[in-house]
Amino acid sequence: RSFRERMADYPFSIDSISRFKSARQQKEIVKKLAAGEIDILIGTHRLISNDIKFADLGLVVVDEEQRFGVTHKERLKQMRRTVDVLTMSATPIPRTLHMSMLGLRDISSLTTAPQDRRSVVTEVMSFDKNRVKLALLRELQREGQTYFVHNRVSNILDMADQIQQMVPDARILVGHGQMGEGELEEVMLKFIRHEADILVCTTIIESGLDIPNANTIIINNADRFGLSELHQLRGRVGRWKHRAYCYLLLPADRPVTPIAAKRLKAIEEYSHLGAGFKIAMRDLEIRGAGNILGPEQSGHIATVGYEMYCQLLEDAVRQLKKEQKPTRPEAHVEIGISAFIPKTYIAGDRQRMDIYRRLTRCSDLKMLDELKQHMEDAFGEPPRQALILFALTELRLLAGMYGIESMIRQGPDVVLTVRDASKAQHALTGAPGTLRVIDEKTVYLRMPATFMESEACLMVLRNLMHAAHERDEKGEPAPAPAARPAANKKQPLASK
């Protein structure tokens, strides 16, 4: 109906297909579709049945993507290899989200809420009849409607009787997927027409319902639901300007598993509008991404390691796009100095590892400066060991830029293996001590005894190359050999 209203001015033929249509109607639609007489066909999973044949399929729009399994998506791909696919979801599943983050898919995130829309108040609590009764009465008093989600068809009628005893004046309906087509449709239409106050139902209400008058949802045994499923169910309320409430009930007779506790904490924390993307990211952290290629839900990522798997995948995507692999010139530096981020500075192992990972990915000085600034903003003034680590990384990058492959301390000398001796000499202009070019690949630098300490050696080399880099950036000539800096054993780390 929505599509026909919006496309009324265009000569498009629009139809729908689902189990609510009779066999005769479905047969007629399938026939028209194969002949190309239908331009837009809207349907449920019935669309991916084997008897569906498109005359010229160009675009597949998958609404509520998390409702479609991997097998369904593989079937959509088989319909036509070159079909364009647009998937929409408040909570993209981890696999899809991961694919978009790797560049296999484009992604757009819409975070602007509709006008007058307010976030849903979310509360996790143990099953308490008095609390449930108060929540139901509050919604009844403001003439609103309530969903009570109980995902067990076997005793859903018993649950409806319990609720009727709590609020005897309320009009209650029961809806679940095992009802007949006409019966379920009638229940939903009655609820939409406000002929009932409370709908006791299963997760069949998860997708597609837009009932502005329903502004309270109570989810029983919430620890048995997935994260995106909880977010979708919560999205059934708060569809208009009224404040909506979501109560997640936990059972009193059994403990909650650690993973279920993480899910419930995430759904309670991310209750603001537009939080679906963050919830999907947390789901990705909790569940993992699974196998990205093929119909399997879990792959062999563990055998190569997650980071390596992502790098291999990125390389493959880059090759398919015919993009050049970004080169990252970096020298191998061994001058007898250890550098690390102390636990006293960044206590969390995960956060510390993230800084190390980002440090290894810095491909230029700008990225390195940004990372250092970010670290200072987040954790405060860095200690000496962390500053040495950044200075060492800067030296590796600068040396790589000037064609130096390695810098290794051997006794009183620093031995440089270079691709271009003249370029390396230029970078070390003004170095204290003696610079000897042994051959076109090897350069020896012997510094005075005052610079033999590892930290002083690091700072001299870093400062020399940084000065050369700044001169080259400005287009200035190198200073004369006489203009060497005076020997100073303890140079400040912040100086350049």
Side-chain angles (χ1 to χ4, degrees):
R1 195 186 301 129
S2 296
F3 265 71
R4 280 178 176 158
E5 283 172 8
R6 293 187 184 191
M7 301 282 187
D9 297 335
Y10 299 93
F12 298 150
S13 171
I14 301 167
D15 216 325
S16 67
I17 189 167
S18 68
R19 67 185 175 121
F20 293 109
K21 297 263 177 147
S22 67
R24 187 178 170 184
Q25 286 174 312
Q26 289 187 37
K27 196 173 178 181
E28 184 65 27
I29 289 166
V30 170
K31 188 180 172 183
K32 281 184 177 179
L33 189 67
E37 294 173 21
I38 294 175
D39 298 304
I40 301 172
L41 182 63
I42 299 159
T44 57
H45 289 67
R46 178 72 179 84
L47 275 175
I48 50 179
S49 303
N50 291 326
D51 62 333
I52 298 285
K53 298 284 186 295
F54 290 88
D56 183 18
L57 181 63
L59 174 66
V60 175
V61 181
V62 184
D63 193 18
E64 303 295 358
E65 181 235 12
Q66 76 284 350
R67 305 292 291 174
F68 288 78
V70 180
T71 313
H72 303 138
K73 288 170 191 168
E74 291 294 313
R75 168 76 181 121
L76 286 170
K77 287 179 192 173
Q78 288 164 11
M79 286 179 174
R80 185 163 178 241
R81 293 287 175 186
T82 56
V83 71
D84 291 321
V85 181
L86 171 66
T87 58
M88 297 184 289
S89 174
T91 51
I93 59 173
R95 178 161 136 149
T96 305
L97 185 64
H98 185 62
M99 285 168 77
S100 65
M101 290 168 74
L102 288 174
L104 294 172
R105 276 186 165 190
D106 294 324
I107 187 167
S108 298
S109 178
L110 305 178
T111 54
T112 307
Q115 196 173 2
D116 294 332
R117 186 74 64 87
R118 302 168 78 183
S119 58
V120 179
V121 176
T122 307
E123 188 180 342
V124 179
M125 62 186 191
S126 294
F127 188 96
D128 181 344
K129 284 188 176 181
N130 289 327
R131 293 288 302 277
V132 173
K133 182 180 178 179
L134 285 171
L136 293 168
L137 285 172
R138 181 175 57 197
E139 195 58 53
L140 286 168
Q141 282 164 5
R142 62 177 185 178
E143 297 184 352
Q145 292 169 279
T146 303
Y147 296 111
F148 190 98
V149 180
H150 179 78
N151 208 28
R152 290 286 181 274
V153 176
S154 56
N155 62 347
I156 195 168
L157 293 173
D158 297 337
M159 182 54 70
D161 289 339
Q162 280 188 48
I163 293 166
Q164 189 73 74
Q165 287 167 19
M166 290 182 208
V167 279
D169 298 335
R171 297 167 296 172
I172 296 176
L173 284 171
V174 176
H176 56 79
Q178 292 180 21
M179 293 172 125
E181 287 91 336
E183 192 184 356
L184 178 60
E185 193 173 18
E186 186 57 35
V187 165
M188 295 314 302
L189 287 170
K190 276 184 180 178
F191 193 67
I192 289 166
R193 291 194 294 258
H194 202 172
E195 291 175 18
D197 304 305
I198 301 168
L199 177 65
V200 181
C201 55
T202 59
T203 53
I204 197 163
I205 63 150
E206 184 183 337
S207 300
L209 289 184
D210 187 8
I211 303 174
N213 202 44
N215 286 300
T216 295
I217 185 166
I218 300 168
I219 303 170
N220 196 23
N221 293 324
D223 59 322
R224 286 179 168 163
F225 292 83
L227 190 52
S228 62
E229 198 170 29
L230 286 170
H231 184 64
Q232 290 287 342
L233 285 167
R234 181 173 63 185
R236 296 311 99 210
V237 295
R239 312 290 293 185
W240 200 33
K241 61 185 180 181
H242 300 300
R243 172 67 79 188
Y245 297 87
C246 173
Y247 299 97
L248 306 170
L249 304 182
L250 300 180
D253 57 346
R254 70 167 191 277
V256 175
T257 65
I259 288 182
K262 279 184 185 176
R263 288 199 299 263
L264 292 165
K265 187 179 178 185
I267 201 76
E268 194 174 31
E269 183 183 346
Y270 297 126
S271 60
H272 57 275
L273 295 169
F277 191 79
K278 288 185 179 178
I279 283 172
M281 291 291 284
R282 182 62 65 87
D283 207 12
L284 177 64
E285 286 176 21
I286 295 171
R287 285 170 55 189
N291 193 6
I292 286 160
L293 308 172
E296 300 84 8
Q297 281 285 27
S298 58
H300 298 288
I301 291 179
T303 57
V304 292
Y306 187 71
E307 194 77 16
M308 175 61 79
Y309 183 80
C310 290
Q311 284 179 22
L312 291 170
L313 205 58
E314 280 176 25
D315 290 344
V317 171
R318 204 176 286 113
Q319 282 177 11
L320 288 169
K321 290 182 175 179
K322 293 184 172 56
E323 291 178 357
Q324 289 292 322
K325 187 175 181 179
T327 54
R328 182 171 175 264
E330 186 182 292
H332 175 68
V333 178
E334 279 184 39
I335 53 174
I337 192 166
S338 62
F340 58 95
I341 299 170
K343 278 191 175 183
T344 50
Y345 180 53
I346 302 177
D349 291 343
R350 187 172 171 181
Q351 291 167 311
R352 207 165 55 254
M353 286 303 294
D354 185 54
I355 296 290
Y356 280 129
R357 182 181 61 80
R358 289 172 63 185
L359 200 59
T360 59
R361 290 190 170 185
C362 288
S363 55
D364 55 46
L365 299 182
K366 187 182 176 186
M367 285 178 72
L368 191 66
D369 285 342
E370 285 173 359
L371 176 58
K372 189 178 176 184
Q373 187 63 49
H374 168 80
M375 189 176 75
E376 286 179 7
D377 291 344
F379 305 105
E381 190 66 31
R384 194 164 188 80
Q385 296 98 321
L387 288 172
I388 290 169
L389 178 62
F390 273 80
L392 196 58
T393 307
E394 189 177 351
L395 177 60
R396 286 192 189 115
L397 289 171
L398 286 164
M401 287 178 199
Y402 285 101
I404 299 169
E405 292 178 351
S406 67
M407 303 175 81
I408 300 171
R409 180 88 171 268
Q410 291 182 0
D413 295 314
V414 177
V415 182
L416 287 78
T417 306
V418 299
R419 288 188 293 272
D420 185 340
S422 61
K423 208 172 179 183
Q425 274 185 293
H426 170 68
L428 296 168
T429 301
T434 312
L435 196 65
R436 290 176 294 148
V437 179
I438 305 301
D439 56 43
E440 58 182 24
K441 291 284 183 185
T442 314
V443 177
Y444 273 64
L445 173 62
R446 177 168 292 185
M447 288 194 285
T450 47
F451 293 104
M452 290 310 294
E453 187 189 322
S454 298
E455 194 177 311
C457 180
L458 167 66
M459 291 307 148
V460 168
L461 291 169
R462 196 274 311 256
N463 292 349
L464 280 169
M465 292 198 178
H466 202 99
H469 179 64
E470 284 186 341
R471 284 197 305 271
D472 291 344
E473 289 279 296
K474 295 174 184 174
E476 295 175 359
R484 291 180 179 176
N488 180 9
K489 187 175 178 181
K490 290 192 181 292
Q491 296 197 33
L493 282 162
S495 71
K496 293 192 176 177

